[in-house]
């Protein structure tokens, strides 16, 4: 709940046109595909690259740690982002199902006789 000028409003949700929600759902799926591709590419970085010693060796080590290393690695961050996208898609899917159900219920009860 939010309060504005002494009035309380329920802001836990918002409404969008079902066409926009369907489009957003599809675009999130495409984004998930891109994130999956990025995870695969980041895993390639995780391979130790024999670049030699000195500075080149440090770069190879950094690439390996950045790719699949522990906390904060590209793979970890991209995987977490992919899970967030899936959660968002799930919520949109639920909202679309509710909308469709309400629309179907309303269609049965609408009386259009008499002009």
């Amino acid at each position: 709940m939010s309060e504005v000028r002494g009035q309380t409003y329920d802001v836990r949700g918002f409404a969008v046109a079902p066409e926009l929600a369907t489009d957003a759902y599809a675009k999130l799926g495409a984004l998930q595909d891109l994130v999956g591709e990025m995870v695969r590419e980041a895993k390639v970085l995780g391979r130790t690259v024999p670049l030699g010693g000195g500075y080149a060796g440090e770069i190879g080590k950094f690439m390996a740690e950045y790719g699949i290393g522990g906390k904060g690695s590209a793979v970890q961050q991209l995987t977490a982002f992919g899970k967030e996208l899936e959660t968002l898609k799930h919520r949109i899917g639920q909202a679309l199902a509710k909308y469709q159900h309400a629309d179907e219920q309303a269609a049965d009860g609408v009386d259009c006789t008499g002009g």
Side-chain angles (χ1 to χ4, degrees), residues 23-34 85 89:
D23 186 48
Y25 189 90
K27 287 181 179 179
L28 286 172
L31 183 56
Q32 276 184 304
D33 292 343
L34 181 61
L85 291 174
K89 276 181 58 180

Side-chain angles (χ1 to χ4, degrees), residues 14-94:
F14 62 93
V16 297
E19 302 82 30
L20 294 176
T22 302
D23 186 48
Y25 189 90
K27 287 181 179 179
L28 286 172
L31 183 56
Q32 276 184 304
D33 292 343
L34 181 61
V35 168
E37 184 178 324
M38 292 172 71
V39 167
R40 288 187 294 279
E41 290 176 4
K43 286 182 178 180
V44 170
L45 285 176
R47 298 183 188 136
T48 303
V49 181
L51 297 176
Y55 185 67
E58 290 178 30
I59 291 174
K61 182 180 176 188
F62 170 79
M63 287 172 50
E65 289 175 4
Y66 175 75
I68 61 171
K71 187 175 181 180
S73 71
V75 170
Q76 181 194 33
Q77 296 299 316
L78 289 168
T79 301
F81 182 56
K83 288 178 183 177
E84 290 293 325
L85 291 174
E86 186 59 37
T87 299
L88 185 55
K89 276 181 58 180
H90 179 71
R91 289 181 179 167
I92 290 172
Q94 286 179 321

